[in-house]
Each structure stands twice: as C-alpha cells, then as structure tokens.
Amino acid sequence: MRTLDLQAEIIPRHSAAGFEIGMDISEIAEIIRGATVLDQQVPVAALRQNRGVIAKRDLDGHIRAVFFGDDQVRLSFNAAGKLFCIFLFEGYSGSYMEAVSIGSPMSSVQRLHPLLYDDGDEMCYIADDEENSVPGIAFAGSSSCSLEDDPEQFVCGFCVHDWTIQK
C-alpha cells in the first residue's frame, strides 16, 4: 500500500509525495477507507479545515480526487482509476532536482530551465528549444502571473502530470 510522503523527491511525469503517475486507485484503498468522502465539489472552507483526507466522488460513484490536509497534496484520477496528476502545495517539503521546493524563488527554476507561462492554468512549464511546453511538470508562482510581470515571485506549487492518461 502507498502512503503519503511529504518529503519525497519530485520527478516530472513520474512521481511525488510517495505516489506514481499511472498507479491504480486501488493502491490507496486503505487511505480512501479512512477519508471523508464528498459527492460535491470540495468547498475551500472544508479544505482549509481539513487535517485528514478528503476524497471527492463523481456522479458515477468513482473517486476522482483525493486531498491530503489543507490541500498540501492533491491526487487526480481518470475515469479508469489511474493517477494522472499530483498537485503539491504549501506544507510539501520535497524538492525538484534537489534545488527547488515550495518557497523557492521562481528564478531558481529559471536557472535550471527556460520557462513558459500559461495564463489558462496560471502555471509555468519548462520550454524546449522551439519554445513549446515540455509535459510532466508545471510550477505555480505566488503571483499567478508571468515571470515578466513579477520576476520576484516564489514557487507556491507543483503539478506533476501525464495529460495523455487524463481521460
């Protein structure tokens, strides 16, 4: 069985927080058994007060999201029960490339990789040589804007993902 690890290394398109992209939801069955299960959207107030685990069920009765604590870690599952996205926020102490963690300046990410800001999801993605987004990881900045608009912002979240298995 998998367990939450708030210090695990962040590996793009692969893993974070003790969970692996593509794993089946059955691997956290014990965690879900102890969770508060909601059938509606999880209210922000409920997350702020959460000290345990909240699982959100879809209309078909399948768990689609699991929230740890006050949204320190959020797991998103597709309709087949496969993990496709791991969100990491304040309270998560693991790092990316042993150099970037929650609270690090976004400039520390930019020293490792060129970044592209996506104003649709308000996150920065690693850019390839043709200035296309490289899938697998995104970085949320404290200002929710581009680095050009606020070069002093810090990392307030990560999104480790594989969008190809989202559906």
Side-chain angles (χ1 to χ4, degrees):
M1 184 189 85
R2 307 266 179 167
T3 59
L4 177 66
D5 180 354
L6 293 175
Q7 299 172 350
E9 180 182 8
I10 299 166
I11 303 172
R13 205 175 192 164
H14 185 265
S15 63
F19 307 103
E20 290 182 9
I21 297 297
M23 68 177 246
D24 192 83
I25 196 163
S26 65
E27 295 183 53
I28 62 165
E30 196 65 35
I31 292 170
I32 293 171
R33 265 192 285 283
T36 299
V37 179
L38 300 176
D39 293 320
Q40 75 275 0
Q41 288 291 63
V42 179
V44 173
L47 278 179
R48 286 189 180 138
Q49 296 172 2
N50 185 35
R51 298 295 171 252
V53 179
I54 295 175
K56 192 224 176 273
R57 198 170 20 213
D58 67 13
L59 295 174
D60 295 326
H62 301 104
I63 301 296
R64 297 300 293 266
V66 177
F67 302 83
F68 293 88
D70 60 350
D71 209 11
Q72 293 171 322
V73 175
R74 182 187 322 156
L75 307 178
S76 295
F77 294 88
N78 66 17
K82 300 297 181 191
L83 181 64
F84 70 88
C85 188
I86 306 167
F87 290 98
L88 311 163
F89 297 106
E90 186 177 343
Y92 189 77
S93 58
S95 64
Y96 168 68
M97 295 184 69
E98 298 181 359
V100 180
S101 57
I102 303 293
S104 294
M106 284 292 278
S107 59
S108 64
V109 182
Q110 212 165 25
R111 282 193 288 278
L112 297 170
H113 311 286
L115 295 174
L116 292 173
Y117 180 72
D118 182 324
D119 58 3
D121 59 12
E122 299 180 331
M123 296 187 99
C124 291
Y125 291 84
I126 297 170
D128 65 14
D129 293 338
E130 287 82 42
E131 295 191 15
N132 296 309
S133 294
V134 175
I137 191 167
F139 306 87
S142 56
S143 300
S144 298
C145 65
S146 71
L147 293 173
E148 291 79 28
D149 291 339
D150 182 3
E152 302 301 316
Q153 61 186 298
F154 58 89
V155 176
C156 69
F158 294 89
C159 174
V160 176
H161 58 270
D162 183 346
W163 299 133
T164 66
I165 61 172
Q166 182 175 4
K167 297 196 184 224

